[in-house]
Amino acid sequence: MKPSLRSLAVVPATLLLFMIIVLCLPPAYAATEPAQDQAPGRTMAQQATKEKNLWITVDHSRIEALQKDFRSGLEVTQACLSCHTEAADQIHKTIHWTWQAYQTEDGSVHGKGGDSINNFCISANKMQDKGCLSCHPGWGNETKTINCLNCHSNKTMNWVEAFEDLSAFADSDDPGEKEIADELRTNLLASVQAVVRPQRQNCGECHFKGGGGDGVKHGDLDTSLTNPNKALDVHMAVEGRNFECTRCHTTILHNIAGRVYTKPAATDRKSLIDDDLAPKITCESCHTSKPHAADSKANDHTDKVACQSCHIPKFARVNPTKMSWDWSQAGKTKDGKPYKTQDEFGKDSYLSIKGQMRWDKNVQPEYFWYNGSISSVTVKDKIDPGTVVQVSHPVGSRDDANARIFPFKVHEGRQPYDKVHKTLLGPMLSGPDGYWKTLDWQHAISKGQEALQVPYSGEFDFVDTTYVFPITHMVAPKGQAVSCEECHVRTDGRLAKLTGFYMPGRDRFSPLDAMGWIVVLGSLVGVCLHGLTRMFTGGRKEDK
Amino acid sequence: MERVKKINMYLYTRYERFWHWLQMLLIVLLLVTGLEVHGSFMLLGFERAVEIHNFAGITWLIAFSFFIFWIFTTGEWRQYIPTTRKMFQVIRYYSYGIFRGESHPVPKRKEAKHNPLQRLVYLSLAAFLLPVQMVSGLLYWLYNDWQAWGLTGLSLNPVVLIHTAGAFAIFSFIIVHVYMTTTGHTVSAHVRAMITGWEEVEEGEVQEWEKSVRRTPAPR
């Protein structure tokens, strides 16, 4: 056969064989086909959260015990407890009532009702700082009787004021005052009878406004979540799944799932679908640990990267959140009077009673290894004032099988510490002795430490601190998830600070790379020289 | 110098040529996407580079197993038996004789397509470098299954190190290999042979050094 014919036959044969091989190989591209069914994790999540038609058998407005002329919070609570006989006992055991998590061996009680410290308003001074009590589920500033309606009424109400006014006007003969009293009665009764399962604004009243204002603390929890759209939160979106907080934060005997810190919400990463464990609360509870399309590389990441790390690219996407708080700047006055300044968001950037504060919007989280627990410093723990004190910090390492790379808001602070005892201090802020009244650190700290029953040397200074919040709300639509290159990049990636393991695209062994390129370029230079030499020496003399 | 007569010889079968060019395609794909995954440059985007790299890698594995099957069923593995005979002459030719216009000391024959230097290089490639690359690549790809396999002691670092070093070695090979295609009796002679299968070679006897290696005739 002639060479030209042979070579002609090669073309179709080659093509055929290549096609056979390609057809035998569906691996990588099949996964990216949009024509395929949606990812199994999505299907599972929809199945797990299928609309439950929760039935209601009680119309509280028709309950006889709630038809009373209520004169105090105590009477309302008694009416609730006349049917819900065990509710008070249950609440009294929960952290929502005690604000105490657990006691460590050295005797310090963790929790804001105990010895815990943060870098916002620092300490609740064992509940003696009344400014902190607006969130306690009692009536007004007292901690004796539960206010069931804090969480269970869909009408918000200033109970203290309402009851005070009522008792002032109730027995009046003046027709005008009588009218006011009747209106108050109507409003009170409406609120008392508007009993619901807790809704977003119930939980949000405290959790959106933690630290004393909208978005101060969490960054992923603020009033924008009362009626979020899909771009802000795919789960809670009003036009979408419209989840209430309780959809995920499930409850057993008034104990609400989802608490982190030393007792994480879930220690093992099991799917809810596996055995229908209602109180577990992780993304995997609904989405399973393989939530993406089959063979998707993203499924391989779930063992080391939390869902939140990719699916919450930024927090505080609608309302700004406080990023730092420098107490050492507090106390300045203008013309002898306290003053304040505001930033571009209309938020307080300086307050004489609070100091310098920085707010930010659309914040990129910081990432740490996190096993679901957070270690925190109490008023009794020794600190090293020479370093930035981690008032709270995520627990976990790469070697910890339960730890994942997780996004956090890190709040920077500068707050008082005891120069002799090397402990953080809990000044009293509100009340007649509080710093907000006196602008006198020495006095406020003494009073605060007294309330905490922790000694104070009398010498204080300020120290830099950090405090962390896990970012887990404000899950963005999947199209806005963090892209591969935001981490797998040589410099300035999101995970640039997480070292100690090899990450493709980011890490390399520089000596190997250098050697490799020397070999490659050396080869190139070598063949060029060889070729040039051939050209100049003539080569192939016998062919000429 | 006496002019040597040349004859056309069918050196490379259809499958060999197909395998060669498929290999080229896959290696170029793997090298480019691999370097992007390594972070050396941005071209396709990390995600797509990873997808193509994995796809090409698995395609390569399957194609390579076809090659192994072919090489043993046809007896062509004998082409890769290393020899030191005439090795020195070949080295001398490429570093000196080629500049003087000498003839290649080892003309190609159907039974001996590769000169001693080629044998050594291709054997190291097929029996060492490529398998190392395949094993390290497969391990890298299946990183998430290590725990299930009990490979708890292994860390990703050495696997990556070996895979990257292998990639640089292959890169270097490609440069030299492509250059060497120009060293035939014309600049395009070797490339033509790898496309059509036919190469013009100098007429002559099967040489002594070939005979001693080939104890049995190639099955036809």
Side-chain angles (χ1 to χ4, degrees):
Chain A
M1 209 194 273
K2 291 206 165 154
S4 58
L5 285 178
R6 291 208 79 121
S7 59
L8 276 178
V10 163
V11 178
T14 307
L15 277 175
L16 188 70
L17 198 59
F18 186 68
M19 275 167 67
I20 290 168
I21 288 178
V22 168
L23 285 175
C24 293
L25 286 173
Y29 291 113
T32 56
E33 284 286 24
Q36 273 198 343
D37 288 335
Q38 64 177 350
R42 216 169 141 73
T43 313
M44 292 297 230
Q46 280 162 359
Q47 188 182 312
T49 59
K50 232 182 277 167
E51 200 59 57
K52 269 191 199 162
N53 284 317
L54 288 169
W55 28 262
I56 290 172
T57 53
V58 177
D59 176 357
H60 280 84
S61 68
R62 292 172 62 187
I63 295 287
E64 205 179 322
L66 299 180
Q67 311 297 333
K68 239 175 107 179
D69 180 12
F70 292 108
R71 291 298 178 90
S72 70
L74 179 64
E75 284 177 35
V76 178
T77 301
Q78 279 167 347
C80 299
L81 296 181
S82 68
C83 290
H84 303 276
T85 55
E86 308 308 307
D89 273 356
Q90 290 171 5
I91 285 285
H92 283 150
K93 287 173 193 149
T94 70
I95 197 162
H96 267 114
W97 182 259
T98 63
W99 287 2
Q100 293 177 2
Y102 62 97
Q103 191 162 4
T104 45
E105 282 171 15
D106 63 357
S108 45
V109 178
H110 282 246
K112 63 167 79 72
D115 300 315
S116 283
I117 288 266
N118 63 38
N119 63 9
F120 289 85
C121 288
I122 306 181
S123 168
N125 303 97
K126 295 244 160 96
M127 298 206 186
Q128 288 181 45
D129 196 329
K130 300 300 178 198
C132 302
L133 285 176
S134 59
C135 274
H136 196 264
W139 296 97
N141 278 345
E142 53 110 344
T143 54
K144 291 187 203 81
T145 313
I146 300 159
N147 178 355
C148 307
L149 301 174
N150 262 355
C151 306
H152 287 287
S153 171
N154 74 359
K155 291 196 164 50
T156 46
M157 185 114 208
N158 188 337
W159 302 101
V160 181
E161 213 170 83
F163 283 125
E164 270 174 12
D165 291 354
L166 187 61
S167 51
F169 302 133
D171 305 316
S172 169
D173 293 331
D174 180 82
E177 290 185 347
K178 240 183 167 157
E179 203 176 303
I180 296 174
D182 281 342
E183 201 187 320
L184 278 168
R185 276 196 192 94
T186 314
N187 288 345
L188 272 167
L189 218 52
S191 297
V192 168
Q193 293 174 351
V195 174
V196 290
R197 273 185 296 272
Q199 296 177 331
R200 286 187 289 239
Q201 65 267 24
N202 291 105
C203 310
E205 194 54 34
C206 293
H207 292 281
F208 293 164
K209 299 173 183 171
D214 190 13
V216 168
K217 272 191 172 174
H218 293 273
D220 65 333
L221 282 174
D222 60 42
T223 54
S224 66
L225 284 180
T226 313
N227 286 301
N229 61 17
K230 220 165 187 167
L232 182 62
D233 192 303
V234 288
H235 298 108
M236 295 170 76
V238 176
E239 79 268 30
R241 308 295 294 177
N242 202 10
F243 284 176
E244 296 289 346
C245 307
T246 51
R247 192 71 193 79
C248 298
H249 294 271
T250 52
T251 305
I252 293 176
L253 306 177
H254 280 104
N255 277 297
I256 297 168
R259 189 178 159 68
V260 288
Y261 303 95
T262 41
K263 284 182 185 161
T267 44
D268 52 337
R269 298 158 51 85
K270 213 170 181 183
S271 162
L272 181 73
I273 293 143
D274 287 348
D275 48 12
D276 203 24
L277 290 167
K280 287 175 136 292
I281 176 173
T282 63
C283 304
E284 281 145 276
S285 301
C286 293
H287 287 280
T288 77
S289 60
K290 298 264 175 287
H292 309 94
D295 296 329
S296 159
K297 189 65 203 167
N299 278 339
D300 288 344
H301 284 64
T302 60
D303 60 338
K304 292 290 174 198
V305 182
C307 308
Q308 290 90 333
S309 293
C310 297
H311 290 280
I312 311 176
K314 286 184 172 169
F315 59 84
R317 294 205 292 275
V318 175
N319 297 337
T321 188
K322 196 178 280 189
M323 294 306 292
S324 75
W325 187 333
D326 183 352
W327 279 105
S328 72
Q329 300 295 315
K332 292 180 201 164
T333 51
K334 264 184 189 165
D335 309 325
K337 282 179 191 158
Y339 71 102
K340 66 176 184 178
T341 60
Q342 290 193 325
D343 63 11
E344 70 213 269
F345 307 112
K347 296 285 188 181
D348 294 333
S349 51
Y350 183 80
L351 275 175
S352 297
I353 60 163
K354 292 186 178 182
Q356 196 71 40
M357 291 164 289
R358 185 170 57 81
W359 294 73
D360 208 355
K361 235 169 113 167
N362 278 317
V363 187
Q364 182 172 307
E366 292 187 35
Y367 299 87
F368 301 100
W369 290 102
Y370 176 50
N371 65 14
S373 295
I374 288 178
S375 74
S376 55
V377 170
T378 69
V379 78
K380 292 173 179 168
D381 292 324
K382 288 263 178 281
I383 57 155
D384 175 4
T387 61
V388 175
V389 178
Q390 298 178 334
V391 181
S392 76
H393 203 70
V395 180
S397 72
R398 186 179 146 75
D399 305 319
D400 182 344
N402 274 327
R404 303 287 181 278
I405 294 170
F406 202 99
F408 286 87
K409 169 185 167 178
V410 180
H411 182 260
E412 293 168 350
R414 192 161 169 78
Q415 63 194 92
Y417 78 100
D418 190 317
K419 282 169 81 174
V420 176
H421 295 140
K422 304 268 190 287
T423 54
L424 292 175
L425 293 165
M428 185 73 76
L429 297 177
S430 67
D433 290 320
Y435 182 80
W436 289 343
K437 193 95 180 171
T438 63
L439 295 188
D440 179 351
W441 279 121
Q442 207 52 274
H443 186 65
I445 292 170
S446 308
K447 287 291 169 187
Q449 294 294 97
E450 212 177 289
L452 286 163
Q453 294 166 305
V454 179
Y456 170 48
S457 71
E459 282 181 56
F460 77 96
D461 200 355
F462 293 89
V463 64
D464 287 324
T465 60
T466 56
Y467 194 86
V468 293
F469 295 94
I471 295 297
T472 192
H473 304 93
M474 297 189 182
V475 175
K478 64 176 176 179
Q480 286 163 34
V482 172
S483 70
C484 306
E485 290 90 349
E486 292 184 53
C487 298
H488 293 278
V489 62
R490 188 73 83 214
T491 49
D492 297 333
R494 283 180 184 247
L495 302 185
K497 283 184 190 163
L498 286 185
T499 51
F501 61 96
Y502 185 88
M503 187 163 74
R506 181 190 70 176
D507 299 321
R508 60 176 160 175
F509 308 97
S510 302
L512 174 74
D513 262 38
M515 240 172 64
W517 288 115
I518 288 170
V519 168
V520 167
L521 291 176
S523 309
L524 201 62
V525 170
V527 299
C528 286
L529 288 177
H530 197 271
L532 284 172
T533 315
R534 267 168 68 209
M535 275 166 70
F536 288 117
T537 55
R540 288 282 159 205
K541 280 174 188 151
E542 75 270 35
D543 278 353
K544 281 175 186 163
Chain B
M1 199 182 261
E2 194 193 333
R3 211 181 180 83
V4 188
K5 201 186 168 197
K6 291 203 168 50
I7 52 163
N8 247 336
M9 192 179 271
Y10 188 60
L11 274 181
Y12 307 110
T13 62
R14 240 172 263 157
Y15 176 73
E16 277 173 286
R17 283 173 281 143
F18 163 73
W19 165 237
H20 175 268
W21 293 112
L22 178 66
Q23 215 179 171
M24 182 212 75
L25 179 76
L26 291 175
I27 287 180
V28 168
L29 263 182
L30 285 166
L31 200 56
V32 171
T33 54
L35 281 171
E36 175 158 14
V37 172
H38 184 60
S40 301
F41 51 77
M42 295 255 236
L43 183 69
L44 303 157
F46 188 86
E47 187 170 11
R48 184 166 299 171
V50 169
E51 276 172 11
I52 294 175
H53 194 81
N54 292 346
F55 178 76
I58 300 299
T59 311
W60 167 271
L61 277 182
I62 294 168
F64 191 79
S65 54
F66 273 97
F67 169 70
I68 297 294
F69 173 78
W70 173 84
I71 209 174
F72 282 103
T73 49
T74 58
E76 285 293 302
W77 60 273
R78 290 191 185 84
Q79 303 275 6
Y80 297 89
I81 295 172
T83 175
T84 52
R85 284 158 208 255
K86 291 231 175 187
M87 173 83 85
F88 175 73
Q89 283 96 316
V90 175
I91 293 172
R92 188 199 156 275
Y93 169 74
Y94 282 118
S95 52
Y96 177 72
I98 192 168
F99 304 126
R100 312 249 347 243
E102 291 173 10
S103 301
H104 198 288
V106 186
K108 285 182 200 296
R109 291 290 173 269
K110 218 174 176 55
E111 301 81 3
K113 297 169 189 168
H114 305 141
N115 69 49
L117 204 59
Q118 281 176 307
R119 284 178 185 231
L120 195 70
V121 171
Y122 294 165
L123 180 70
S124 328
L125 208 63
F128 177 71
L129 188 52
L130 295 179
V132 161
Q133 217 48 3
M134 283 183 269
V135 170
S136 59
L138 207 58
L139 271 175
Y140 199 158
W141 187 55
L142 296 170
Y143 172 72
N144 285 81
D145 297 327
W146 289 9
Q147 205 156 22
W149 298 343
L151 278 176
T152 44
L154 191 61
S155 109
L156 190 59
N157 294 31
V159 174
V160 169
L161 192 89
I162 290 167
H163 200 66
T164 311
F168 279 120
I170 291 172
F171 198 169
S172 164
F173 163 80
I174 289 171
I175 292 170
V176 177
H177 181 74
V178 168
Y179 170 72
M180 294 299 269
T181 64
T182 67
T183 61
H185 71 274
T186 66
V187 168
S188 61
H190 289 329
V191 176
R192 174 180 165 267
M194 200 40 85
I195 293 170
T196 65
W198 292 82
E199 178 150 0
E200 277 192 320
V201 293
E202 286 162 6
E203 200 176 28
E205 295 288 308
V206 172
Q207 299 182 3
E208 261 329 291
W209 69 276
E210 294 166 16
K211 280 177 187 164
S212 58
V213 175
R214 295 199 45 79
R215 288 183 193 91
T216 51
R220 279 299 112 153

